[in-house]
Amino acid sequence: MSQLMLKNVILNGTLTDIAISGKRFAKIAPGQDTAGYQVIDGKGRFAVLPPFYNTHNHAAMTLLRGYADDMELFTWLHDYIWPAEAKLTGEDIYDGTRLAILEMIKSGTVFFADMYWHQSDTVRAVIEMGVRASIGMLFICDGNGELLERNREGNNKLLKAAENFPEELSLSCAPHAVYTVSEKVLREVAQISRERNLMIHIHASETRREVEECLANHNMTPIAWLDHLGLLTEKTLLAHCTHLSAEDIFLIAARKSVIAHMPVSNMKLCSGSFNLTAAVNGGCRVTIGTDGCSSNNNLSMLEEMKFAALLAKQTADDPEAGKDSLIFDLATRCGAEAFGIDAGVIAEGKLADAVLVDLNNPQMVGDYNLIANMVYSADSSVIDTVICGGRVLMQNRHVPGEEEIIERARKVCRKIAQ
C-alpha cells in the first residue's frame, strides 16, 4: 500500500501534516513521523484544498479548440462541429482526451463527466493518466427516431468494458438532448438507468429554440418532458439549464436532479443565462462544468468559478449573490457528491483527492481569504501539485509525458485542418 505524507502544508489556515495511506486520507495532524512515507514538503508555502470535479465535458473536443468560433449553437453544431467530428478516429479521440486530461490536471481537476464518441479510447486515456471520470453511453437518433447504429455498437462495447472498470471510472447513460433523441429511445434510457443504477447525463433547456420546439411538440418544457418520460431522478444530471421556468426549478428540486452550470460556454454561444440564485434558493442541486473546448475554449474550473460568481451577481442584480464559498463548494464537494465520489473535502477517511496551491504566487497575495483568491484571482499557475486517490499526478507543475501528449494532439489538429 502506497504511503504519502504532505508535510508542513496549510489546511484551513493552520500548518499541519497530512498522511495518506493507499487511496484515503489517514491522519491530519502536525508533527507526524515521516518514516516509510513518500514526502512532499510544503515548507509552509503550500495550501491544501480539494480539487475540482468537472460535471459536464466533451473531453476530446480539445482537438477542435478554435476550429469554429463566434456563431449560433445550431449552425455551429450542424455545419461545423459534427462534420469535423466525423473525421475523428478512435486513436484521435485517445489523443484529444489525453490532451484534455493534461489540461484539467494542470488546472486542478481530477474528475470529468464525459459525453462523446469512441468511448473505449476515452477510457484508455483516463486509466493511463490516473484521473476519475464518468463515461457516457451516447444516445443520438436518426431521422426515423432509431438509435444510431454507431451508438448502439459503441454502447454495447462500453457496457462490456465496464465490467472491468477500476473504481475511479463509472458508466452513465448520455442521451444527447430531447431534440436529438426520440421518445422511444428516451424511455429506453430511463429503463437502462433504473435497471443498472446508472447516472443520466443530458443537455437540457440549453436554448430558447429547444424549449419552444419541445413546447410545440409535447406541450411541455424539456424538463417537464424528461420528467414525464421517467428521466428526471436524483441520478440525472442536466447540463446548461439556461431557460428554466419556476415550474422547472420546482420539478428539478423535487426530483433531486443535478444541474451542471457552464457560464463560459453559455455566454460564448449566447445560449442564455442560468439563474444560479433562483435555482439554489429553489432547492436545486448545482455543480459546475466547463463544456467542451470548442465552445469554451478551455477546461479551467478556476475560470469557470469566476464567471459563475460574476454571472450570479449580475443576474440577481445583487453583489451578495454567488458568494465565493458557495461557488467553490459547487466546483468541489457538490460535483463529487453528484457522482457518488467520497471526496471533495480534505478530511480523515475521505478519498485522497487534493491540490497544493502555491501561496507565493502573486495572484495569491493579499492573502486575506484563500477561497476568494481561488474564485476571483487564481489561474492555473497557482496549482503546483495534484493528487487523485493518493496518486501524485502532477508535482512542480509537471505531468509526466506532457510533451508527447501535446505533440500527438497537434498532429491530429493538422489532419482536421486539411
Side-chain angles (χ1 to χ4, degrees), residues 117 140 142 146-156:
W117 309 94
I140 297 177
D142 61 22
E146 299 296 330
L147 183 64
L148 293 175
E149 186 57 32
R150 65 181 293 199
N151 280 177
R152 190 176 303 281
E153 292 175 0
N155 293 347
N156 288 338

Side-chain angles (χ1 to χ4, degrees), residues 340-351:
I341 303 168
D342 189 24
V345 294
I346 309 298
E348 291 179 1
K350 292 289 186 179
L351 286 167

Side-chain angles (χ1 to χ4, degrees), residues 59-164:
M61 291 184 92
T62 49
L63 299 172
L64 299 174
R65 190 195 325 259
Y67 176 76
D69 290 312
D70 306 327
M71 58 188 69
E72 184 270 338
L73 173 64
F74 287 88
T75 300
W76 173 77
L77 277 175
H78 287 273
D79 296 347
Y80 293 88
I81 297 303
W82 287 344
E85 287 177 333
K87 300 178 181 179
L88 299 177
T89 66
E91 196 67 15
D92 296 337
I93 298 299
Y94 167 74
D95 289 330
T97 302
R98 287 205 305 163
L99 180 65
I101 294 170
L102 173 62
E103 182 179 348
M104 285 189 278
I105 290 172
K106 281 185 165 287
S107 52
T109 293
V110 300
F111 165 87
F112 65 103
D114 201 48
M115 179 191 292
Y116 213 57
W117 309 94
H118 297 286
Q119 299 97 321
S120 59
D121 297 286
T122 299
V123 167
R124 182 160 56 106
V126 171
I127 293 173
E128 285 181 11
M129 297 195 68
V131 294
R132 306 183 189 279
S134 172
I135 308 297
M137 293 188 293
L138 188 59
F139 295 83
I140 297 177
C141 291
D142 61 22
N144 296 317
E146 299 296 330
L147 183 64
L148 293 175
E149 186 57 32
R150 65 181 293 199
N151 280 177
R152 190 176 303 281
E153 292 175 0
N155 293 347
N156 288 338
K157 185 176 180 181
L158 188 59
L159 272 172
K160 184 174 179 60
E163 297 172 2
N164 299 307

Side-chain angles (χ1 to χ4, degrees), residues 239-258:
H240 298 288
C241 291
T242 54
H243 295 275
L244 298 180
S245 66
E247 292 78 12
D248 290 336
I249 290 174
F250 175 82
L251 267 178
I252 293 168
R255 303 294 184 258
K256 299 181 180 179
S257 299
V258 181

